[in-house]
Amino acid sequence: MATWKLLMLQDSASPLMEQLSFFHDHTLLILVIITILVGQMMAGLFVNKLTHRFLLEGQMIELIWTVLPAITLIFIALPSLRLIYILDETNNPTITIKTIGHQWYWSYEYSDFKNIEFDSYMIPQNEMNNFNFRLLDVDNRMTIPFLSQIRILVSAADVIHSWTIPSLGVKIDATPGRLNQTSFISTRSSLMYGQCSEICGANHSFMPIVAESIAPSYFIKWISKMIQ
């Protein structure tokens, strides 16, 4: 989860987030190189006393500063397009979970099993335990097995919300009357925190998301308990 001293992205908990982190580093490296080169050229203008009053054109330099940015954009665009297709792909999910955004809480439905539906509210400050995180913990967590592909179907009951967990690399709009889907795989046992990322009203910042990733054997026990 994000802490007060975190300057970079959160630690990844899924292969998708790992790829997003690699793309972020790749793009940032290109931007740093461009910034250094442009800065060096601008600094050179201040100390260079040579002038060319009669210079009208320089076709070679114009060709270079047209071709180089085009090549740079290709180096950024190709990994970006690859990521778009990877993020949008959903193949043979192990579990499907339906998530509905409300003002201001989330409800979850495990449609592969019978009668597993619950609402997830933020824990008020006066009811928190010492191990709870303020404004981030909920009374009912979304529980998933790790190393399994999870498909999320997202919608909303009133206004537009956005179901977001940064460490999973998931951000998907919850739109009334529309069903959006995405998928992810959690790589480890962990608690993953997120929040609604669409300004949805007065209590927008008080509808957090908590996903608990556990071993498949414990997930089966949790499902059995919920069904009973």
Side-chain angles (χ1 to χ4, degrees):
M1 63 174 290
T3 59
W4 65 271
K5 61 182 178 179
L6 186 66
L7 298 178
M8 300 296 287
L9 301 174
Q10 294 185 24
D11 292 338
S12 61
S14 72
L16 294 178
M17 188 57 195
E18 287 181 6
Q19 293 299 316
L20 287 170
S21 298
F22 293 152
F23 177 68
H24 170 269
D25 296 341
H26 167 77
T27 307
L28 199 61
L29 178 61
I30 294 176
L31 292 177
V32 167
I33 294 173
I34 293 173
T35 303
I36 292 174
L37 288 175
V38 173
Q40 184 182 15
M41 293 169 62
M42 292 179 66
L45 293 175
F46 291 102
V47 298
N48 187 5
K49 293 184 168 53
L50 301 177
T51 58
H52 198 320
R53 291 167 46 200
F54 303 105
L55 180 65
L56 298 177
E57 62 177 336
Q59 293 187 359
M60 180 56 68
I61 190 65
E62 290 176 1
L63 180 65
I64 291 173
W65 71 38
T66 301
V67 172
L68 282 182
I71 295 174
T72 303
L73 289 175
I74 290 173
F75 274 98
I76 295 176
L78 290 180
S80 177
L81 291 172
R82 173 178 165 271
L83 261 179
I84 288 174
Y85 283 103
I86 291 177
L87 292 171
D88 199 43
E89 192 171 346
T90 304
N91 291 323
N92 302 320
T94 305
I95 295 170
T96 298
I97 303 173
K98 186 176 181 181
T99 304
I100 301 176
H102 305 264
Q103 289 182 314
W104 288 270
Y105 64 96
W106 296 95
S107 62
Y108 298 97
E109 175 185 336
Y110 289 70
S111 52
D112 296 322
F113 310 96
K114 289 185 178 180
N115 302 323
I116 300 184
E117 300 179 25
F118 55 86
D119 298 329
S120 181
Y121 289 87
M122 185 189 75
I123 300 177
Q125 191 167 351
N126 58 351
E127 298 178 11
M128 291 173 59
N129 295 310
N130 292 331
F131 54 81
N132 290 135
F133 293 104
R134 189 178 72 90
L135 302 182
L136 281 178
D137 261 308
V138 296
D139 53 0
N140 293 310
R141 298 167 178 165
M142 185 189 79
T143 305
I144 56 173
F146 60 73
L147 299 180
S148 303
Q149 187 172 41
I150 311 299
R151 177 172 63 176
I152 291 285
L153 303 176
V154 182
S155 186
D158 32 51
V159 299
I160 298 177
H161 302 274
S162 186
W163 197 85
T164 306
I165 297 183
S167 59
L168 288 175
V170 175
K171 182 179 185 296
I172 182 168
D173 286 342
T175 308
R178 178 170 178 172
L179 205 60
N180 295 326
Q181 76 164 6
T182 189
S183 66
F184 59 86
I185 299 174
S186 174
T187 55
R188 53 191 168 86
S189 178
S190 58
L191 281 177
M192 295 158 288
Y193 294 87
Q195 290 176 298
C196 175
S197 297
E198 189 75 34
I199 298 177
C200 56
N203 291 332
H204 154 70
S205 56
F206 302 111
M207 49 182 301
I209 303 159
V210 182
E212 183 175 2
S213 177
I214 59 178
S217 57
Y218 287 105
F219 178 77
I220 294 173
K221 293 179 181 179
W222 179 81
I223 287 293
S224 303
K225 180 181 176 182
M226 294 293 289
I227 291 176
Q228 293 174 359

